[in-house]
Structures are given as structure tokens and as C-alpha cells.
Amino acid sequence: MNRMNGCLVYPNWIEENMENLSQIEFEIGQQYTNEKGVFTVVSIKDDQIVIEFEDGEQISSDIAFQQRIQERRRWEMMAPEKKKKVATAKSRRSSTRKTVKHFAGLQPDVFMNKISSVKWRGRDQLGGGVTSRLSSARFNFNSWSSGRRNEIHWADSNHWKTKNISYPAKFFASADEASFTWGFYIERPDQTGNQSADWDAFIEWLGVDKHEQWIRTVALEEGLEVFDNHKSCFGGLIKPREADWSVEGSSVRKSTDRLSTCINSWHPTAWLDLMIAKRIGKADAIKRGEAIAEDISILFGRLLPLYEAAVSHLY
């Protein structure tokens, strides 16, 4: 069974409806909808699509990425009847189950530079609140509390639990004294231990021109930062711009045309905690209340191609 928007979707139901989920073919001049709203297709060339939103904003995007968004939206529209049945079954069992705490948003005591004693990271809190909103026909996501930091990790259950993969790729959310951060997280271990097949697959994928353009576009639209959380390789921030990336806090370079080139230039034997993430202040995170779970799940959905790239060697 897979989870979809908080309900269980059974494999036989998926198979029965696969004929309704053929890959969408975009047409110039036609309107579609993604997370940002209604857009019109302006042009299509090779694997790129130019779309215009109702406010006049135009962006160039990867066709495959926009197709995945449409696929997810169709799943969501086709699942309501199954949701209703599962909700009914759950209500019948609720009287015999222990009441589960409800995630009510991040509280001030969550924010600290050590592991919080407040149980905000659990599957009955933010961890599960985000998991229930993640839709994927390919992965069965779940959450785990980090044993080292005030942080939650999300990954495919089978991939996370396998003993054959060291340092698996993941999504994350973390709190410190001043801010809240969430996004994609992948590790490159140092030369004293095991190598990471996920890292090797990810960095190879990132070196492809269209993938470089895609991640810079998404990072620019979402206001993402790229950084080494371990700070063994790089102590600053990399931020997207229209044509390149700015490199803040570096004595070597102030910009880079390619993210992969910059990463590969860092010390090759040092540990690297690479994070591609969104950061907001403590006050803003608290103000979002329960909606922070939706904010997190939406960004994970946009960054899903990064996760797919890292685990592609298993499929």
C-alpha cells in the first residue's frame, strides 16, 4: 500500500485506473494548473516548455517536471472516493485506538541548537503531518527523527532501511535558535569510510546541462540556498540568479556558472553535508502554524527529481 494525501491507495485500484493516467501532452495556447496557479503554454521546444501565469510572469521549465505535477494532480482528483471509504473505515476503528496528538504548528520552544525535548519531530506531529501530504506512485515516504540534530528526515521506507546503501539521500526540516529550514539533503562521506552510491548518482545527474538549468530555475522561484551544513568544504551560501549562481562567503570565487562545477571544486576528501533548502526566520515559521506542513510538502514535491536522481541506481 502507498500513502497519498493522508489516505491509503491500494495497488489494485491504481492498476484499474492506469488507462486514465496516460502522460499528458502539453499544447501551445492551452491552460493548465500547477502549485503556483493557472498558466498558459507559450512555447514548446525540445524538452523545455515556456509557461505564462495569470499575473504575466513567464518561466521556462522542464517538460518532464511539469508532466509529473499534472500526474500528481490527476491522482489527487481521482482519489476522493477512495479517501471517503478509508475515512469511514478509520472512524469505525477510532473508538478503539489511542488518541493521536495533532500537529498545531511550531512552538517557540522548538527552536534550539541542540535536540529539542519537545516532541515536534515525531510521526504524530510534523513528521507525520508532512508524510501524509506527500504523493508519489513510486515511493513510500516516511519520517525519522535525526539522532544528531534538531531535525526530521523523510525518505522512501525501503531505500532508507536497506543495509546496502550508505548515507541515503533524503528530505529534511530543521530548527535552530533563529530559523527554520527544509529541503533536499545528501551526504558525500570523507575518504575514511564507505562511499555513497546516492551521492555518485546525484552528482552525475547534476552535471547534465538541462538538469543544471532546471535546479537553478526552481531554486530561483522558491528562494532556495545551497550550503554545506558540515562546513568542512564550504562555509558560505550559494544562491541562484537568472544566468548563474552567486557564491557568498568564498575567497576563491564570487559566482559560478554551474552548481556542479563549484561543488566539485571543493576539497575532494572532506565530508560534505549538501543541502538545497529554503530558510525562514523563527517568527515567520511560528506564524505559519499548521500550514508549515503543507509548505514543506509542496517544496519536497518540486524537489522530487533530485531524490529520484540520487536513488536512480536502484531502479
Side-chain angles (χ1 to χ4, degrees), residues 12 17-18 49 56 58-59 82 104 134 157 164-166 168 193 214-215 232 249 260 264 283 300:
N12 59 339
N17 291 276
M18 280 303 291
I49 183 172
Q58 285 193 7
I59 65 169
K82 179 60 68 175
L134 295 176
S157 293
N164 299 323
I165 304 298
S166 300
W214 175 83
I215 186 57
S232 295
S260 60
N264 286 326
F300 289 176

Side-chain angles (χ1 to χ4, degrees), residues 1-11 13-14 72 74-91 93 97 128-137 139-141:
M1 293 185 291
N2 294 322
R3 286 193 177 273
M4 182 180 300
N5 290 339
C7 69
L8 296 178
V9 180
Y10 292 81
W13 183 82
I14 294 174
R72 186 180 68 185
R74 283 188 289 174
W75 275 117
E76 293 170 351
M77 288 187 289
M78 291 177 67
E81 190 60 34
K82 179 60 68 175
K83 278 187 178 181
K84 185 185 298 183
K85 292 179 180 179
V86 173
T88 301
K90 282 185 176 181
S91 64
R93 298 192 298 267
R97 289 189 174 183
V130 172
T131 300
S132 68
R133 291 170 168 83
L134 295 176
S135 300
S136 174
F139 303 114
N140 181 27
F141 285 106

Side-chain angles (χ1 to χ4, degrees), residues 19 25 58 64 71 78 83 85 119 153 170 183 200 242 285 290 303 310:
E19 69 273 12
E25 295 294 336
Q58 285 193 7
E71 176 188 351
M78 291 177 67
K83 278 187 178 181
K85 292 179 180 179
K119 300 186 182 301
H153 297 154
K170 47 197 163 281
D200 293 340
E242 288 292 342
E290 299 175 36
L303 297 181

Side-chain angles (χ1 to χ4, degrees), residues 21-263:
L21 293 173
S22 56
Q23 190 176 67
I24 188 170
E25 295 294 336
F26 291 109
E27 296 182 17
I28 295 174
Q30 295 299 309
Q31 288 190 328
Y32 305 87
T33 304
N34 62 17
E35 287 91 343
K36 291 191 67 175
V38 177
F39 65 85
T40 302
V41 177
V42 177
S43 65
I44 299 173
K45 183 177 181 181
D46 298 327
D47 59 356
Q48 294 293 303
I49 183 172
V50 175
I51 62 178
E52 181 175 313
F53 293 97
E54 292 181 309
D55 62 0
E57 178 188 7
Q58 285 193 7
I59 65 169
S60 177
S61 181
D62 188 82
I63 291 177
F65 171 65
Q66 293 298 329
Q67 287 173 328
R68 281 192 292 270
I69 294 176
Q70 299 304 312
E71 176 188 351
R72 186 180 68 185
R73 291 180 61 82
R74 283 188 289 174
W75 275 117
E76 293 170 351
M77 288 187 289
M78 291 177 67
E81 190 60 34
K82 179 60 68 175
K83 278 187 178 181
K84 185 185 298 183
K85 292 179 180 179
V86 173
T88 301
K90 282 185 176 181
S91 64
R92 290 171 181 167
R93 298 192 298 267
S94 62
S95 60
T96 61
R97 289 189 174 183
K98 184 178 179 180
T99 301
V100 177
K101 292 176 66 178
H102 174 67
F103 174 67
L106 298 169
Q107 305 304 313
D109 49 6
V110 163
F111 293 84
M112 53 184 64
N113 281 325
K114 60 182 180 179
I115 295 179
S116 172
S117 60
V118 180
K119 300 186 182 301
W120 69 279
R121 303 183 300 158
R123 291 176 181 172
D124 61 342
Q125 289 291 296
L126 181 59
V130 172
T131 300
S132 68
R133 291 170 168 83
L134 295 176
S135 300
S136 174
R138 185 177 182 184
F139 303 114
N140 181 27
F141 285 106
N142 211 339
S143 68
W144 291 265
S145 298
S146 170
R148 297 179 297 155
R149 294 195 287 259
N150 198 27
E151 190 168 287
I152 310 172
H153 297 154
W154 287 267
D156 175 69
S157 293
N158 292 330
H159 184 53
W160 186 262
K161 295 176 181 178
T162 181
K163 297 181 180 179
N164 299 323
I165 304 298
S166 300
Y167 315 108
K170 47 197 163 281
F171 294 112
F172 81 99
S174 66
D176 59 30
E177 292 179 335
S179 62
F180 191 75
T181 310
W182 68 96
F184 177 71
Y185 173 20
I186 190 164
E187 298 167 82
R188 185 194 69 187
D190 59 29
Q191 300 302 301
T192 62
N194 296 328
Q195 295 302 297
S196 170
D198 283 12
W199 171 265
D200 293 340
F202 165 75
I203 203 68
E204 180 180 356
W205 178 91
L206 189 61
V208 177
D209 288 345
K210 66 178 182 179
H211 299 158
E212 160 69 30
Q213 180 182 355
W214 175 83
I215 186 57
R216 191 175 71 247
T217 298
V218 172
L220 191 61
E221 292 174 356
E222 298 289 348
L224 307 184
E225 303 171 340
V226 182
F227 55 94
D228 172 16
N229 198 58
H230 199 266
K231 300 189 184 303
S232 295
C233 294
F234 176 62
L237 293 174
I238 302 177
K239 295 183 178 181
R241 298 190 293 206
E242 288 292 342
D244 62 3
W245 302 79
S246 68
V247 183
E248 301 176 4
S250 171
S251 60
V252 178
R253 65 178 77 198
K254 299 301 180 184
S255 66
T256 182
D257 291 337
R258 300 178 64 90
L259 182 59
S260 60
T261 299
C262 187
I263 293 171

